[in-house]
């Protein structure tokens, strides 16, 4: 199930930085930020959304979410990810126990999502609803 975070944030009155959308699978949530060129601020959006899922306003607001669940946070950048942003993603993975990944193209995004238990249909491009 795909959830637009803009709509969900409005529904729960959450004003924090946020990624673009969530994919909710069986026992897992993917937090996805879509961008042209990856920046550290994009990593912060992923972190803020993960925190809201774990301890904040999204914890009870995401339909279909069961406890316990895994989180994979993906920065999908069409122009690639420079080494500084990539290092920050890896650093967050080590600190929090949440998997932070980068994807440079749609195929790579689909592969990352499949690796973490999401189906082909959930890995479809965001406008493919």
């Amino acid at each position: 199930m795909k959830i637009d975070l803009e709509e969900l944030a409005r529904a729960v009155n959450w004003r924090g930085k946020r990624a673009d959308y969530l994919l909710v699978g069986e026992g897992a949530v993917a937090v996805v930020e879509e961008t042209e060129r990856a920046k550290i601020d994009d990593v912060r959006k992923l972190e803020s959304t993960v925190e809201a899922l774990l301890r904040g306003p999204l914890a009870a607001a995401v339909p279909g979410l069961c406890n316990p669940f895994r989180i994979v946070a993906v920065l999908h950048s069409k122009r690639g990810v420079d080494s500084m942003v990539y290092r920050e993603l890896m650093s967050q993975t080590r600190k929090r126990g949440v998997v932070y990944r980068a994807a440079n193209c749609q195929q790579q995004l689909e592969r990352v999502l499949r690796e973490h238990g999401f189906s082909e249909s959930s890995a479809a491009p965001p406008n493919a609803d």
Side-chain angles (χ1 to χ4, degrees):
M1 167 189 343
K2 184 174 167 183
I3 300 170
D4 181 311
L5 277 169
E6 193 69 34
E7 292 175 18
L8 183 61
R10 202 171 332 167
V12 297
N13 200 26
W14 177 47
R15 291 178 174 36
K17 285 185 177 190
R18 60 188 158 271
D20 292 316
Y21 61 94
L22 300 176
L23 295 172
V24 180
E26 201 169 309
V29 176
V31 179
V32 182
E33 171 64 12
E34 299 273 351
T35 186
E36 281 295 317
R37 183 176 299 276
K39 300 175 285 302
I40 293 294
D41 189 54
D42 296 318
V43 179
R44 300 294 172 255
K45 289 177 184 178
L46 289 172
E47 292 171 340
S48 176
T49 305
V50 166
E51 191 62 32
L53 274 170
L54 293 173
R55 295 173 200 58
L58 301 182
V62 176
L65 193 60
C66 60
N67 276 327
F69 60 92
R70 305 181 317 283
I71 299 176
V72 58
V74 185
L75 180 55
H76 181 209
S77 174
K78 295 172 179 86
R79 293 192 178 177
V81 178
D82 71 35
S83 61
M84 191 161 164
V85 172
Y86 185 76
R87 280 194 295 264
E88 183 64 21
L89 289 169
M90 293 304 98
S91 171
Q92 290 306 316
T93 294
R94 286 189 291 274
K95 282 186 207 172
R96 297 189 185 263
V98 173
V99 177
Y100 285 80
R101 299 285 302 271
N104 296 326
C105 63
Q106 187 62 35
Q107 291 83 7
Q108 198 172 29
L109 174 62
E110 291 170 5
R111 187 173 60 241
V112 167
L113 293 173
R114 273 193 315 272
E115 286 172 7
H116 293 280
F118 293 90
S119 68
E120 287 292 326
S121 60
S122 53
N127 57 0
D129 286 326

